[in-house]
C-alpha cells in the first residue's frame, strides 16, 4: 500500500516471509520499473491522465551456437527502427557473441525465447554479417522494457517528475526508464535528489 496522510506517506510492504510492515516517510521515489504504473495508481495518481500507463516491450536474445565460427572484434549496432534499437551483435566479458534484442509488445512480462525466431534474427543479422544462418543461433535470454509509448505510437521519453501538481506532494515518479535510459542513471539520480531537496 502507498497512501498520503497529512504531510507524510504511509508505505506498507510485505517481507519475503509474508509478514507486513508499515513505515512513514516524507517522500517516496517510484522507481519500480515494470511495476511503475501499479505503484503510481497506489499513490492515487490518475495514470491515464498523466500518461503513465506502461506498455511491455519484450526483447529476445540469441547467442552463437557452440562450434560456429564468427569473427567479431567489436559491438555492432544497426540503425534503430521501430520500437527497439535493432538486432545488434555484442560480446560478453567471456568473449561469447550474443545477438538482440528484437522488440515485441506483450500483454504481460515473460522471459521465454521462441526458437522459431532464429530465422528472423538471422535475416536481420545478414544485413551486416552476411554469412549468418538460422542454425547458427540458439535461444539465450529475454528482457522486458517498460515503455510509455505503445505499439504504433511515436517515441516517448521516460519521466522523472515530482507529483505535487498531480495531488501527490513528496512523490517522485521515475517511469518508463528502459535500457538506454539506464546509461543516464547518475544524471537521473542527481535530478531525483534535486527534486527531493526542494520539498
Amino acid at each position: 500500500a502507498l497512501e498520503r496522510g497529512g504531510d507524510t506517506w504511509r508505505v506498507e510492504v510485505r517481507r519475503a516471509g509474508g509478514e507486513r510492515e508499515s513505515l512513514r516517510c516524507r517522500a517516496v521515489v517510484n522507481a519500480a520499473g515494470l511495476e511503475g504504473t501499479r505503484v503510481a495508481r497506489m499513490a492515487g495518481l490518475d495514470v491515464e491522465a498523466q500518461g503513465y500507463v506502461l506498455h511491455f516491450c519484450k526483447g529476445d536474445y540469441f547467442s552463437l551456437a557452440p562450434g560456429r565460427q564468427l569473427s567479431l572484434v567489436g559491438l555492432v549496432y544497426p540503425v534503430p527502427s521501430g520500437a527497439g534499437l535493432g538486432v545488434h551483435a555484442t560480446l560478453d566479458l567471456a568473449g561469447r557473441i550474443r545477438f538482440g534484442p528484437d522488440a515485441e509488445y506483450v500483454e504481460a512480462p515473460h522471459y521465454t525465447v521462441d526458437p522459431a525466431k532464429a530465422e528472423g534474427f538471422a535475416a536481420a543479422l545478414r544485413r551486416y554479417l552476411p554469412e549468418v544462418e538460422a542454425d547458427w543461433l540458439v535461444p539465450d535470454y529475454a528482457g522486458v522494457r517498460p515503455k510509455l509509448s505503445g505499439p504504433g505510437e511515436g517515441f516517448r521519453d521516460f519521466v522523472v517528475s515530482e507529483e505535487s501538481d498531480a495531488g501527490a506532494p513528496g512523490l517522485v515518479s521515475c517511469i518508463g526508464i528502459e535500457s538506454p535510459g539506464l546509461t543516464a542513471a547518475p544524471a537521473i539520480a542527481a535530478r531525483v535528489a534535486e527534486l527531493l531537496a526542494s520539498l
Side-chain angles (χ1 to χ4, degrees):
L2 178 60
E3 56 189 30
R4 185 80 179 167
D7 60 354
T8 63
W9 287 92
R10 185 182 70 82
V11 180
E12 184 177 300
V13 297
R14 188 176 318 130
R15 293 186 170 275
E19 62 275 4
R20 292 176 184 255
E21 183 175 339
S22 183
L23 61 103
R24 289 213 166 267
C25 50
R26 192 169 58 89
V28 173
V29 177
N30 176 5
L34 297 174
E35 298 293 336
T37 297
R38 187 170 70 87
V39 171
R41 278 194 177 109
M42 278 196 265
L45 294 183
D46 181 343
V47 295
E48 286 78 13
Q50 294 288 111
Y52 292 172
V53 175
L54 291 174
H55 305 273
F56 303 122
C57 188
K58 182 173 175 277
D60 293 336
Y61 285 82
F62 281 77
S63 58
L64 188 64
R68 298 294 182 177
Q69 297 299 313
L70 187 63
S71 178
L72 192 65
V73 294
L75 310 180
V76 180
Y77 284 84
V79 175
S81 64
L85 296 176
V87 175
H88 50 270
T90 60
L91 296 166
D92 67 16
L93 294 176
R96 206 172 111 195
I97 300 174
R98 288 193 174 116
F99 308 103
D102 62 352
E104 171 190 6
Y105 283 95
V106 294
E107 286 298 314
H110 68 91
Y111 301 94
T112 57
V113 178
D114 182 358
K117 284 186 166 185
E119 186 53 57
F121 268 70
L125 291 167
R126 281 193 287 269
R127 290 176 44 213
Y128 54 89
L129 295 169
E131 67 272 34
V132 172
E133 298 294 336
D135 65 355
W136 291 25
L137 307 176
V138 293
D140 201 328
Y141 69 98
V144 178
R145 301 183 287 271
K147 291 181 141 326
L148 286 170
S149 55
E153 297 176 2
F155 173 76
R156 187 149 170 244
D157 211 348
F158 58 84
V159 170
V160 177
S161 175
E162 197 280 324
E163 303 294 355
S164 288
D165 291 345
L171 175 69
V172 176
S173 295
C174 298
I175 295 185
I177 301 175
E178 53 179 304
S179 173
L182 294 178
T183 61
I188 292 169
R191 177 64 180 145
V192 169
E194 183 180 284
L195 290 169
L196 293 172
S198 70
L199 296 176

